[in-house]
Amino acid sequence: MSVTRKFKTAAAALVVLTLAACGTTEGRQEAVKRVVASFTPGKGQSNHTVSQAEIQGALQRFNGPMLLAQVPSRNSTAVLRRIASNGPYETFITGDRRTLTMVDGILTGTRGLGQDIMNATDREVRQLVTTRKGGVANRFRRYLDAENHTYEQSVTCYVERAGSEAVSAGVVSASTTVMTEKCLNKEEEFENTYWVDGNGLVVKSTQWVGPDNGYLEIQYLRR
Amino acid sequence: MNARNLLAVLAVMGASAPVATQAQTTQLTNMFGNPGGLIDMPSAEVAPDGELATTLSYFGGSFKSTLSFQILPRVSGSFRYTGIDGLDSTGFDTYYDRSFDISVLLLKESTSWPALSIGLRDFLGTGLYGAEYITATKGFMDGRLRVTGGLGWGRLGGTNTIGSTGTRPTEILGQGGIPTYDQWFRGDIGVFAGVSYAATDRLTLKAEYSSDAYELETVTNDTFDRKSDWNVGVDYQVTDYLSLGGYYMYGSELGVSLRMALNPRNQGVAGGAETAPPPVRLRALSSVDDLGWSEVASQQNGYKSELADELSGYGIYLEAATLKPRQAIVQIRNERYDIESQAIGRTARVMSRVLPGSITSFTIAQNVNGMPTGSVTLQRADIEQLEMSPAETIREKAVFASGLAASEAAVLDETYPRLDWSFGPFLRLGFFDVNNPLRADLGLRARGALFLTPGLVVSGSVTSKLAGTLDEMSSPNTGTVNGVPVVRSDSSRYQTGPDPRLETLYASQYLQFTPDVYGRLTAGYLEQMYAGVSAEVLWKPEDSRLGIGVEANYAKKRDYDGGFGFQDYDVYTGHVSAYYDIGWGFHGQVDVGRYLAGDWGATVAIDREFDNGWTIGAYATKTDISAEDFGEGSFDKGLRFTVPLAWALGTPSRRSSNFSIQSLTRDGGARLSVPGRLYDAVRDSHEPEMAKTWGKFWR
């Protein structure tokens, strides 16, 4: 038997045996599932679109505020429902247990997206946006790196009014003021857009999450 | 100028370096696998901190595979395994050799100074590639063009010589494996130079002038023709972590290289890709003073089982719980989260959702092997108020204590007895044996562990080897070699298959004596080569970076057939160990005591620990067995690695792969492999360790 042949036989045997692995030990099945998933495209991947019928169905099935969110860089869309409020912070969850946390529609945290926003200090920016005033403010967001150390991204942001527009989605329709927010520091530069209704709620937005996720497009389906 | 003066001058230059300096970093490596952009010659470039690169290179009949690690921003080390065809002076068709290199960046580059490095090649062992060098590299055009010049001794002083520093001794110290310090920076001094130019982000062109005469290969033997001092070539970066190179070397040979690099610090999913934690639930005002539940046992038990159910969905198991009117005390078993603060955070979140509103404080202890090893007490109001704040703020409010702070938690009925089992394949690797760079065995293993009471576990495993070559390693047929009992060098005789082998079967009792002192008693078939009894006591206070342990063992050598029988070798062995978290990502360990062959000595180990679970370290053991009796290598030493599965998966897992590269498996300085040693089990739940990655608390 040649070396290549031997190697192939061994590799095939390893794959078969790995699939056959079983037991109660946590992590073992997880590893196997991940290996299998990586060879079966489509399943477990985030590549997913949401139809109007699905949105209507979700609005009927759940009570309370709901969102439609899209990550263009990952080509994925999801309907989220609110599962918790803590003071002004509202947390919304997708069907596959990823969450977004927002204050008045402005993103302050994510969980389960990878390179998550752990938390944010952005009161000044929120104030400008929700009162629909132009101005300059600093904002701080904290992330974890690959070694699980916290690091802070701080940017200076320039908020401006950019006209008005009617917005409607799900059961929400509002006439809004469009606000833009250009943020930058030495390494990063991004531009958020907010559609703010008369009550100071951001009913629709395009917001920067971070280099890995890019922008998130968020829209209230129900308040 | 002698070597010592030269070093002093260089040190002064390093100390007085101007402020605006930078290291010239590169992801390229040379034919020797050292970070650097030239071909066969060293440069003063460094790899990014933490970079681990594997380089495979071939030219003129010599194949080198090198693992290099940027140990510190300025220090890199390499381990190389070389096979040279046609080096027939040794009596083999192919001569295999291992070598270690180290290089230190003395001076970073500034606008007026080049970067300056000093390095030792093959400074242990037989010194086949033995060389020392001082090299300077200056970057131009934003570092795209780099010019290097240097002075070399040993092999690098083989040609183009400009002088000499004394006579270079040629004899090998001990049986090899000992630093060849008597040779360093002695003998003829050769001059080498080179230039590399990054034509694009992916393509680097290079040319160099070599001072390596390749005397052994071309004069003593005839592996290739050295017709020129010049080498030219090109490197192509295929992806961020893979590059290829092709070279025309010494006017006669084509050379190729392939390198793969990874960096534990910046690969993997930042913060993890696991699903979201449950949000904290705020209490209803009306529930805060409702103590009715605490009087009713069935309600209490209802809360406990709800808590256990919710936690199990997150891979956290409630082992013990006591709910008092204002305080909840729990012990959890974390089977999922490699980062312990995340397990604590998720437990606190679930407690906030499930437990009655009157409870204002949560004490959460992590239970490892039936012992609560460390605890965290959190105020419920802080959890509610700080959920959206930086994790540091809740760490300042958290109270860390010994696990005994949670000792009054009542063990749940369903916790014991419990069976944990698995069945699946295993892969066992053997690296760099004298005749074969890589050996491996593939087999099946069935494993079970029965947890009977807190701290008492009976565990066993049976293996069957299906294929592999580990049993083909040479093994002595006598009971002693050079008067040293054969205790490990016959390990290949324990690797036969496919008949089932009893790998382990033992009982362990774990005990926590005081808040700072832990104990373990283990008896049975401890490992595939030995059975015995092992007792260990560990002192490791919750807030301490230092741990001290004592272990005493009686071991009896098992039969080769993998059954219950014994050979007639037995020994008392044991160590006093000190463990210390040095800081800056380094951990040190010293063990002093008696080894398997009855030899007395000490082991020193140092590991660089990354906070995602990666560790890369080296160890050395010297005992009272002389270098002559020990044999090739003079004393035991090796490299060891831990690769966390979570890093590869991007989601939490407590599993990891450990492997080590030992210079040679010999009998001196060998240790009994006792399962479930205390230090690693205890340390992770303590504050100094959790503080490193506390940001995961709210993840």
Side-chain angles (χ1 to χ4, degrees):
Chain A
M1 199 148 81
S2 74
V3 174
T4 323
R5 182 76 190 286
K6 259 189 194 169
F7 177 76
K8 279 185 180 163
T9 313
L14 187 65
V15 169
V16 170
L17 290 170
T18 306
L19 295 177
C22 54
T24 55
T25 311
E26 166 109 14
R28 216 181 164 85
Q29 294 97 322
E30 174 70 13
V32 174
K33 266 190 246 163
R34 290 293 291 259
V35 171
V36 175
S38 65
F39 289 104
T40 49
K43 198 159 178 274
Q45 304 290 309
S46 53
N47 194 340
H48 183 59
T49 53
V50 175
S51 70
Q52 276 304 316
E54 283 174 281
I55 292 176
Q56 291 307 324
L59 282 167
Q60 277 166 19
R61 208 161 54 246
F62 300 108
N63 295 319
M66 296 194 76
L67 299 178
L68 183 69
Q70 204 171 341
V71 189
S73 70
R74 303 192 172 194
N75 205 6
S76 93
T77 309
V79 175
L80 296 89
R81 65 192 169 87
R82 190 173 77 186
I83 48 159
S85 300
N86 188 345
Y89 295 89
E90 295 179 285
T91 299
F92 294 83
I93 193 164
T94 67
D96 64 348
R97 304 234 314 256
R98 320 278 157 184
T99 63
L100 304 179
T101 298
M102 308 201 293
V103 177
D104 298 330
I106 296 173
L107 193 65
T108 65
T110 68
R111 292 292 183 274
L113 304 186
Q115 203 182 61
D116 284 311
I117 301 168
M118 293 306 295
N119 45 65
T121 306
D122 53 6
R123 180 190 290 268
E124 290 173 42
V125 165
R126 289 199 323 254
Q127 212 143 28
L128 291 173
V129 171
T130 56
T131 57
R132 286 147 285 161
K133 283 188 193 135
V136 184
N138 291 321
R139 79 161 50 219
F140 306 88
R141 282 171 161 187
R142 281 158 290 266
Y143 299 83
L144 295 170
D145 67 15
E147 267 198 280
N148 301 305
H149 298 156
T150 302
Y151 66 92
E152 189 173 81
Q153 177 232 42
S154 68
V155 284
T156 305
C157 299
Y158 301 83
V159 179
E160 281 171 18
R161 288 176 71 121
S164 53
E165 232 174 72
V167 168
S168 79
V171 298
V172 172
S173 64
S175 50
T176 64
T177 306
V178 184
M179 303 294 294
T180 60
E181 180 199 15
K182 290 196 179 81
C183 301
L184 54 122
N185 65 12
K186 270 197 302 197
E187 293 111 35
E188 245 181 303
E189 196 178 324
F190 57 86
E191 182 174 338
N192 294 337
T193 311
Y194 306 94
W195 285 260
V196 191
D197 76 2
N199 301 318
L201 176 76
V202 177
V203 292
K204 180 182 164 185
S205 58
T206 303
Q207 302 188 50
W208 178 251
V209 181
D212 286 5
N213 291 293
Y215 287 95
L216 198 57
E217 294 173 15
I218 309 169
Q219 192 157 10
Y220 269 100
L221 295 172
R222 183 165 61 210
R223 247 328 269 171
Chain B
M1 185 152 65
N2 70 25
R4 195 162 296 153
N5 291 349
L6 192 60
L7 284 178
V9 170
L10 292 171
V12 170
M13 278 158 56
S16 61
V19 184
T21 59
Q22 55 168 343
Q24 289 286 6
T25 59
T26 180
Q27 283 197 304
L28 297 178
T29 57
N30 58 25
M31 294 293 276
F32 283 83
N34 308 133
L38 298 183
I39 302 166
D40 223 19
M41 296 294 111
S43 74
E45 293 158 288
V46 292
D49 185 33
E51 189 100 334
L52 190 63
T54 306
T55 306
L56 307 177
S57 70
Y58 179 84
F59 100 96
S62 74
F63 176 82
K64 303 186 190 81
S65 60
T66 311
L67 189 67
S68 73
F69 179 47
Q70 193 69 35
I71 304 166
L72 286 167
R74 286 167 177 253
V75 180
S76 90
S78 304
F79 169 71
R80 182 179 313 103
Y81 189 81
T82 310
I84 305 178
D85 278 332
L87 213 61
D88 45 14
S89 61
T90 55
F92 293 104
D93 289 345
T94 305
Y95 177 70
Y96 290 106
D97 188 65
R98 281 164 289 248
S99 48
F100 289 89
D101 307 339
I102 190 152
S103 80
V104 179
L105 175 66
L106 293 172
L107 193 63
K108 291 187 180 179
E109 180 177 341
S110 76
T111 42
S112 52
W113 273 105
L116 194 67
S117 280
I118 187 167
L120 305 174
R121 255 185 202 172
D122 195 1
F123 67 98
L124 290 179
T126 47
L128 177 67
Y129 288 120
E132 303 81 46
Y133 58 85
I134 294 164
T135 174
T137 300
K138 181 86 179 84
F140 301 95
M141 302 164 68
D142 289 333
R144 298 186 82 85
L145 177 69
R146 296 180 185 185
V147 179
T148 298
L151 302 177
W153 287 259
R155 264 191 99 107
L156 289 172
T159 179
N160 309 323
T161 53
I162 53 156
S164 83
T165 46
T167 311
R168 195 176 177 92
T170 51
E171 77 191 57
I172 295 166
L173 301 177
Q175 300 293 304
I178 290 174
T180 46
Y181 56 85
D182 59 326
Q183 300 179 358
W184 294 349
F185 300 99
R186 293 180 75 176
D188 291 345
I189 306 171
V191 176
F192 58 87
V195 56
S196 70
Y197 173 66
T200 72
D201 286 347
R202 295 182 177 279
L203 195 68
T204 305
L205 309 173
K206 48 188 67 178
E208 68 178 15
Y209 180 67
S210 169
S211 63
D212 187 339
Y214 279 91
E215 209 175 285
L216 181 68
E217 289 85 348
T218 58
V219 179
T220 319
N221 294 279
D222 185 24
T223 65
F224 75 99
D225 256 353
R226 190 185 189 283
K227 294 180 176 164
S228 158
D229 291 335
W230 290 93
N231 300 324
V232 293
V234 22
D235 270 311
Y236 184 72
Q237 193 85 33
V238 183
T239 69
D240 280 358
Y241 298 100
L242 175 72
S243 66
L244 300 171
Y247 319 100
Y248 184 62
M249 303 180 67
Y250 299 105
S252 63
E253 293 288 326
L254 287 177
V256 288
S257 71
L258 176 151
R259 63 191 69 81
M260 292 162 287
L262 65 84
N263 196 319
R265 293 180 69 205
N266 55 23
Q267 281 168 286
V269 180
E274 64 271 24
T275 56
V280 169
R281 184 176 289 162
L282 305 192
R283 290 166 286 175
L285 187 60
S286 59
S287 69
V288 173
D289 285 316
D290 178 3
L291 295 174
W293 64 273
S294 63
E295 309 290 322
V296 187
S298 65
Q299 281 198 34
Q300 280 213 24
N301 290 333
Y303 284 121
K304 285 186 191 174
S305 57
E306 195 183 343
L307 183 59
D309 283 352
E310 288 288 318
L311 285 173
S312 66
Y314 296 97
I316 297 167
Y317 299 90
L318 189 65
E319 290 235 329
T322 289
L323 303 181
K324 300 202 232 175
R326 298 289 180 194
Q327 190 190 12
I329 303 166
V330 302
Q331 293 181 18
I332 56 162
R333 186 175 76 249
N334 164 20
E335 292 197 357
R336 182 172 301 171
Y337 303 96
D338 47 321
I339 305 298
E340 279 73 11
S341 61
Q342 190 174 17
I344 300 290
R346 292 195 166 198
T347 303
R349 287 170 175 276
V350 172
M351 289 172 83
S352 81
R353 298 175 68 81
V354 170
L355 296 182
S358 70
I359 293 178
T360 57
S361 101
F362 299 159
T363 296
I364 304 165
Q366 297 187 63
N367 190 305
V368 181
N369 294 329
M371 296 181 295
T373 53
S375 72
V376 182
T377 298
L378 298 156
Q379 296 308 306
R380 190 171 191 166
D382 291 336
I383 295 166
E384 291 168 343
Q385 287 164 22
L386 301 175
E387 183 189 10
M388 305 301 173
S389 301
E392 277 310 295
T393 50
I394 194 149
R395 186 162 83 86
E396 283 157 19
K397 308 253 180 183
V399 177
F400 294 84
S402 146
L404 289 184
S407 56
E408 62 177 302
V411 177
L412 302 192
D413 291 341
E414 54 270 36
T415 308
Y416 297 99
R418 175 172 62 87
L419 178 68
D420 184 16
W421 64 274
S422 64
F423 175 73
F426 72 85
L427 184 67
R428 212 178 260 146
L429 298 174
F431 295 103
F432 308 123
D433 146 38
V434 193
N435 300 315
N436 203 332
L438 179 66
R439 291 182 185 275
D441 269 6
L442 180 69
L444 287 171
R445 175 188 282 125
R447 189 195 60 82
L450 185 60
F451 297 83
L452 292 166
T453 61
L456 178 61
V457 54
V458 177
S459 183
S461 56
V462 175
T463 58
S464 168
K465 169 180 169 167
L466 300 179
T469 54
L470 283 177
D471 58 341
E472 292 167 17
M473 279 186 298
S474 62
S475 158
N477 288 316
T478 48
T480 60
V481 173
N482 296 340
V484 179
V486 171
V487 292
R488 279 291 181 215
S489 57
D490 57 347
S491 67
S492 61
R493 300 181 69 176
Y494 291 86
Q495 315 285 353
T496 56
D499 293 342
R501 307 181 70 92
L502 178 73
E503 190 180 37
T504 61
L505 181 63
Y506 58 88
S508 293
Q509 175 70 55
Y510 291 87
L511 266 180
Q512 188 169 4
F513 298 112
T514 76
D516 300 339
V517 179
Y518 305 81
R520 172 184 60 78
L521 187 66
T522 306
Y525 294 83
L526 303 173
E527 52 149 303
Q528 54 178 358
M529 294 179 70
Y530 288 89
V533 181
S534 169
E536 184 186 3
V537 174
L538 174 75
W539 172 86
K540 169 71 176 73
E542 193 281 326
D543 57 354
S544 167
R545 285 150 66 134
L546 175 70
I548 292 176
V550 178
E551 184 182 282
N553 313 305
Y554 169 75
K556 197 161 168 60
K557 198 172 180 193
R558 296 175 60 185
D559 270 344
Y560 293 131
D561 64 8
F564 290 91
F566 296 103
Q567 304 184 22
D568 62 354
Y569 179 77
D570 63 342
V571 64
Y572 289 93
T573 162
H575 289 84
V576 176
S577 305
Y579 311 87
Y580 188 66
D581 186 343
I582 299 162
W584 304 290
F586 286 86
H587 186 273
Q589 181 178 342
V590 177
D591 307 288
V592 179
R594 191 169 193 239
Y595 292 78
L596 265 182
D599 44 338
W600 291 84
T603 301
V604 176
I606 186 153
D607 293 272
R608 175 150 184 198
E609 297 182 328
F610 295 88
D611 290 338
N612 50 17
W614 268 86
T615 72
I616 298 171
Y619 67 90
T621 301
K622 181 76 187 102
T623 68
D624 57 1
I625 292 176
S626 67
E628 288 70 34
D629 290 341
F630 182 90
E632 191 187 336
S634 301
F635 61 96
D636 186 43
K637 54 196 163 298
L639 303 173
R640 58 191 192 184
F641 302 83
T642 306
V643 183
L645 185 63
W647 179 85
L649 291 179
T651 53
S653 169
R654 289 182 73 82
R655 294 170 70 87
S656 59
S657 303
N658 294 291
F659 51 97
S660 58
I661 298 173
Q662 215 174 348
S663 47
L664 289 165
T665 304
R666 297 274 170 189
D667 298 313
R671 287 188 73 176
L672 185 65
S673 169
V674 180
R677 285 198 167 115
L678 287 168
Y679 180 71
D680 285 331
V682 165
R683 175 190 180 206
D684 286 346
S685 62
H686 286 183
E687 183 181 5
E689 209 46 30
M690 279 209 281
K692 292 176 183 170
T693 51
W694 187 258
K696 272 262 186 178
F697 182 89
W698 287 127
R699 175 67 184 86

